[in-house]
């Protein structure tokens, strides 16, 4: 399935990627502030708080399993999972967090304002590429783009 979380509607949707048909949806765990950023570990969905540094671990029916607070660094607004760790925007960096929310590294952003992230597995040292959408499309006319980032060093603190 294709999964989409909508911060305005405060819902997560399961979509058939071949037909575009909505299969089902459920309310996001934080109905007051909403959520943005969605990751998948092969078993559970992880939805990032819109204005908080909390990741909500949920099953595919929307049942809350656990919460993970990203410690030490304020992060939020986007999320991806690289097979071992989470990545989330945090100011002028994109930060890497363990499965229990500990800050373990960072890289600089590709452009102004990271909006959301996705992970593409590949065959390099870190196991893939980070895709980032930036706010350039809002700040510069006709500048819609996404950035494919190869992570060579994530030891930025």
């Amino acid at each position: 399935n294709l999964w989409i979380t909508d911060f305005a509607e405060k819902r997560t949707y399961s979509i058939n990627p071949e037909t575009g048909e909505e299969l089902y949806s459920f309310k996001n765990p934080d109905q007051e502030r909403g959520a943005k950023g969605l990751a998948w570990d092969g078993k559970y969905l992880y939805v990032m708080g819109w204005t908080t540094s909390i990741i909500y671990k949920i099953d595919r029916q929307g049942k809350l399993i656990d919460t993970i607070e990203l410690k030490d660094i304020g992060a939020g607004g986007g999320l991806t999972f690289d097979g071992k760790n989470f990545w989330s925007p945090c100011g002028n960096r994109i930060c890497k967090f363990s499965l229990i929310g500990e800050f373990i590294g960072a890289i600089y952003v590709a452009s102004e304002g990271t909006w959301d992230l996705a992970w593409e597995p590949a065959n390099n040292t870190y196991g893939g590429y980070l895709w980032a959408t930036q706010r350039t499309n809002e700040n510069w006319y006709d500048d819609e783009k996404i950035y494919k980032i190869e992570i060579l060093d994530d030891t930025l603190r």
Side-chain angles (χ1 to χ4, degrees):
N1 297 353
L2 173 65
W3 294 91
I4 300 169
T5 190
D6 186 314
F7 72 92
E9 292 185 17
K10 299 177 183 164
R11 296 190 71 78
T12 295
Y13 297 87
S14 176
I15 307 292
N16 179 324
E18 294 176 13
T19 66
E21 172 191 3
E22 177 186 323
L23 302 173
Y24 57 93
S25 68
F26 50 81
K27 290 181 180 181
N28 284 335
D30 187 341
Q31 284 293 293
E32 183 180 331
R33 293 174 294 248
K36 183 171 137 319
L38 180 66
W40 169 253
D41 71 358
K43 183 173 182 180
Y44 294 105
L45 293 163
Y46 297 86
V47 179
M48 183 75 181
W50 171 254
T51 60
T52 67
S53 292
I54 296 175
I55 299 173
Y56 300 94
K57 180 179 182 179
I58 55 179
D59 68 15
R60 292 184 288 174
Q61 288 71 47
K63 179 182 173 192
L64 180 64
I65 304 299
D66 199 3
T67 59
I68 303 165
E69 184 175 352
L70 301 182
K71 300 169 184 74
D72 303 323
I73 304 284
L79 186 69
T80 195
F81 180 69
D82 69 8
K84 290 196 232 176
N85 301 292
F86 294 110
W87 292 84
S88 182
C90 55
N92 65 347
R93 299 176 294 169
I94 300 172
C95 295
K96 182 167 82 170
F97 296 91
S98 72
L99 292 176
I100 59 171
E102 295 173 330
F103 172 76
I104 54 178
I107 62 170
Y108 287 112
V109 298
S111 183
E112 179 184 1
T114 305
W115 194 247
D116 213 341
L117 303 165
W119 188 260
E120 175 190 350
N123 227 358
N124 70 15
T125 306
Y126 287 88
Y129 298 95
L130 187 63
W131 287 87
T133 58
Q134 306 296 141
R135 297 195 75 167
T136 59
N137 63 319
E138 291 181 347
N139 297 331
W140 298 296
Y141 177 73
D142 202 26
D143 194 33
E144 300 89 9
K145 60 178 90 153
I146 59 174
Y147 296 85
K148 182 178 183 178
I149 303 167
E150 181 178 11
I151 300 170
L152 302 176
D153 182 357
D154 62 10
T155 58
L156 180 66
R157 293 283 173 194

